[in-house]
């Protein structure tokens, strides 16, 4: 019986091939365009979610600079010849008072200071492609970390082998680093030989010089799923400038600016694409229901005649559902496959590079099923409620 019904439907479709061909082409184009647009929306939404997740782990950087200090005019070798004197009164750009105010105002954020100083080593262990070491003072670090190879070079840091040996005034002895301030730290050796030594920030007390400004940053890390906003960063910059009596300039780091611009662009694109996607889906449903309702309405006379000749109501309902389902499923498959092929070959919507997205395909399948249900409901009600004469008289 089911095979017989299917043959009847196929025969009817072949008899009205031109009409159904136009219907399938129209809905295929709709599915094609909507799949591309929805895939673009879901791609942007995923990018937004990834950026939001990354933003909770991101370090947001603020850099300091002195407009009156010209590093080009600074004689590093002459400075290294002078005797080292600890200067605890030097105006460090990120003072303890400023950090304390920030911590009080923004309790769900961590504030870390990092000072990176490059040692220009020219001694016996210098490599051709690597003639410098990095000494990094970090406020979030409580131990000294370096590789065995780096330690070997640091033993050889002095005025004869290093242009700026004063930038490493600490001493080493059998796995121990003694800072110039008198603190003792056990060395934690790392396997990675990156020519970098990490030292607690307290070992930098009294060593600040304006030549180090380029390597001094304040990093802000959100905790408890908090977000760092542009307004928050601007407020911190204002606070720092006020506490330093505008002696230093403070700027948001380039990497931080780039990241926040990406977040801003993603948010804007989601705000644009979301309502447009909703409107397109609504229009597609209205258009699809209209197109297939016309197809069914043209069959009312035939349905009434078949009903009058004794064909059972359930069989008529099944034929109507299958007829619409075949047309819609065929349009859906062609539209999805062709749009995915185009997206894989490279296609963009506005500034968004579109890639196939399974969520879009599932959503469109749901829309197609909903169109089938809404379209056949009036036909089923017509068959169940009225007699063949009543159906014919209504035409």
């Amino acid at each position: 019986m089911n095979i017989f019904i299917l043959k009847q439907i196929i025969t009817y479709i072949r008899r009205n091939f031109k009409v159904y061909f136009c219907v399938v082409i129209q809905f295929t184009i709709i599915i094609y365009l909507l799949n591309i647009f929805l895939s673009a929306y879901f791609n942007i939404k995923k990018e937004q979610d990834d950026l939001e997740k990354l933003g909770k782990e991101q370090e947001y950087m603020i850099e300091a600079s002195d407009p009156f200090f010209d590093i080009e005019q600074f004689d590093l070798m002459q400075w290294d010849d002078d005797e080292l004197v600890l200067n605890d009164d030097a105006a460090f750009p990120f003072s303890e008072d400023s950090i304390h105010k920030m911590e009080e105002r923004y309790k769900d954020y961590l504030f870390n200071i990092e000072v990176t100083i490059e040692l220009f080593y020219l001694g016996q262990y210098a490599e051709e492609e690597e003639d410098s070491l990095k000494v990094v003072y970090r406020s979030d670090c409580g131990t000294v970390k370096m590789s065995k190879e780096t330690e070997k070079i640091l033993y050889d840091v002095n005025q004869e082998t290093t242009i700026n040996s004063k930038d490493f005034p600490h001493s080493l002895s059998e796995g121990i680093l003694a800072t110039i301030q008198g603190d003792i730290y056990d060395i934690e050796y790392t396997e990675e030989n990156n020519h970098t030594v990490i030292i607690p920030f307290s070992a930098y007390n009294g060593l600040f010089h304006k030549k180090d400004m380029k390597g001094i940053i304040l990093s802000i890390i959100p905790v408890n799923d908090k977000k760092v906003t542009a307004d928050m960063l601007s407020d911190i910059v204002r606070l720092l400038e006020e506490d330093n009596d505008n002696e230093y300039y403070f700027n948001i780091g380039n990497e931080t600016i780039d990241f926040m611009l990406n977040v801003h662009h993603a948010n804007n694109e989601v705000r644009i694409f979301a309502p447009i996607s909703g409107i397109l889906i609504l229009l597609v449903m209205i258009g699809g229901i209209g197109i297939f309702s016309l197809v069914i309405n043209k069959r009312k006379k035939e349905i009434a005649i078949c009903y009058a000749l004794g064909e059972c109501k359930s069989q008529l309902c099944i034929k109507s559902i299958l007829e619409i389902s075949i047309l819609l499923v065929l349009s859906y498959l062609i539209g999805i496959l062709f749009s995915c092929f185009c997206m894989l070959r490279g296609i963009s919507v506005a500034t968004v590079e579109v890639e196939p997205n399974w969520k879009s395909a599932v959503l469109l399948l749901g829309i197609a099923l909903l169109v089938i249900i809404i379209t056949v409901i009036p036909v089923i009600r017509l068959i169940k409620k009225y007699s063949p004469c009543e159906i014919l008289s209504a035409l």
Side-chain angles (χ1 to χ4, degrees), residues 118-251:
E118 197 169 8
L119 287 178
F120 297 100
Y121 172 75
L122 305 173
Q124 60 179 323
Y125 302 114
E127 300 176 8
E128 290 183 6
E129 65 278 357
E130 182 65 61
D131 61 357
S132 65
L133 302 172
K134 287 183 180 178
V135 180
V136 181
Y137 298 92
R138 294 182 60 100
S139 62
D140 61 343
C141 179
T143 59
V144 174
K145 298 179 182 179
M146 70 179 82
S147 66
K148 289 276 190 181
E149 290 80 2
T150 302
E151 182 187 32
K152 182 174 68 174
I153 297 173
L154 288 174
Y155 271 114
D156 197 40
V157 169
N158 54 59
Q159 281 199 320
E160 287 72 33
T161 63
T162 313
I163 292 174
N164 54 329
S165 59
K166 238 163 66 171
D167 276 326
F168 187 77
H170 316 297
S171 58
L172 296 166
S173 176
E174 297 180 356
I176 292 174
L177 183 140
T179 69
I180 193 171
Q181 295 86 358
D183 298 320
I184 306 294
Y185 294 96
D186 290 328
I187 298 174
E188 182 181 322
Y189 294 105
T190 59
E191 293 184 4
E192 184 180 7
N193 182 23
N194 55 5
H195 294 275
T196 300
V197 53
I198 299 175
I199 306 174
F201 181 71
S202 57
Y204 188 67
N205 291 339
L207 296 177
F208 170 66
H209 190 282
K210 289 186 178 182
K211 68 174 179 58
D212 301 334
M213 293 292 289
K214 188 177 179 181
I216 299 175
I217 59 171
L218 172 69
S219 63
I220 305 159
I221 305 171
V223 294
N224 300 327
D225 289 333
K226 293 291 183 179
K227 295 180 181 178
V228 173
T229 64
D231 289 339
M232 174 184 169
L233 293 176
S234 298
D235 182 56
I236 290 172
V237 167
R238 282 194 298 271
L239 185 150
L240 289 167
E241 288 175 346
E242 290 170 2
D243 282 2
N244 284 276
D245 295 325
N246 294 312
E247 180 181 352
Y248 299 112
Y249 288 165
F250 295 92
N251 302 293

Side-chain angles (χ1 to χ4, degrees), residues 23-205:
V23 170
V24 169
I25 290 297
Q26 289 179 45
F27 209 73
T28 296
I29 293 171
I30 291 171
I31 293 291
Y32 168 81
L33 295 174
L34 193 54
N35 187 39
I36 290 174
F37 199 90
L38 287 176
S39 294
Y41 167 74
F42 284 119
N43 289 342
I44 296 167
K45 192 70 176 69
K46 183 179 182 302
E47 181 185 352
Q48 183 194 41
D49 293 340
D50 290 344
L51 286 171
E52 186 175 340
K53 183 179 178 182
L54 182 61
K56 295 174 182 177
E57 305 167 355
Q58 179 87 1
E59 289 189 11
Y60 297 81
M61 309 294 187
I62 292 180
E63 302 167 348
S65 61
D66 186 343
F68 305 106
F69 180 78
D70 187 0
I71 190 65
E72 300 292 334
Q73 300 297 323
F74 179 70
D75 190 337
L76 187 62
M77 296 183 72
Q78 161 114 26
W79 170 81
D80 195 52
D81 290 337
D82 298 335
E83 184 181 353
L84 175 63
V85 178
L86 293 180
N87 183 10
D88 294 326
D89 297 326
F92 188 69
F94 302 113
S95 64
E96 290 185 12
D97 289 341
S98 297
I99 299 297
H100 181 69
K101 287 179 183 178
M102 285 183 270
E103 289 174 341
E104 284 293 313
R105 187 175 300 182
Y106 302 103
K107 297 183 183 296
D108 292 314
Y109 301 86
L110 298 176
F111 297 89
N112 298 321
I113 299 172
E114 181 177 303
V115 180
T116 302
I117 300 172
E118 197 169 8
L119 287 178
F120 297 100
Y121 172 75
L122 305 173
Q124 60 179 323
Y125 302 114
E127 300 176 8
E128 290 183 6
E129 65 278 357
E130 182 65 61
D131 61 357
S132 65
L133 302 172
K134 287 183 180 178
V135 180
V136 181
Y137 298 92
R138 294 182 60 100
S139 62
D140 61 343
C141 179
T143 59
V144 174
K145 298 179 182 179
M146 70 179 82
S147 66
K148 289 276 190 181
E149 290 80 2
T150 302
E151 182 187 32
K152 182 174 68 174
I153 297 173
L154 288 174
Y155 271 114
D156 197 40
V157 169
N158 54 59
Q159 281 199 320
E160 287 72 33
T161 63
T162 313
I163 292 174
N164 54 329
S165 59
K166 238 163 66 171
D167 276 326
F168 187 77
H170 316 297
S171 58
L172 296 166
S173 176
E174 297 180 356
I176 292 174
L177 183 140
T179 69
I180 193 171
Q181 295 86 358
D183 298 320
I184 306 294
Y185 294 96
D186 290 328
I187 298 174
E188 182 181 322
Y189 294 105
T190 59
E191 293 184 4
E192 184 180 7
N193 182 23
N194 55 5
H195 294 275
T196 300
V197 53
I198 299 175
I199 306 174
F201 181 71
S202 57
Y204 188 67
N205 291 339

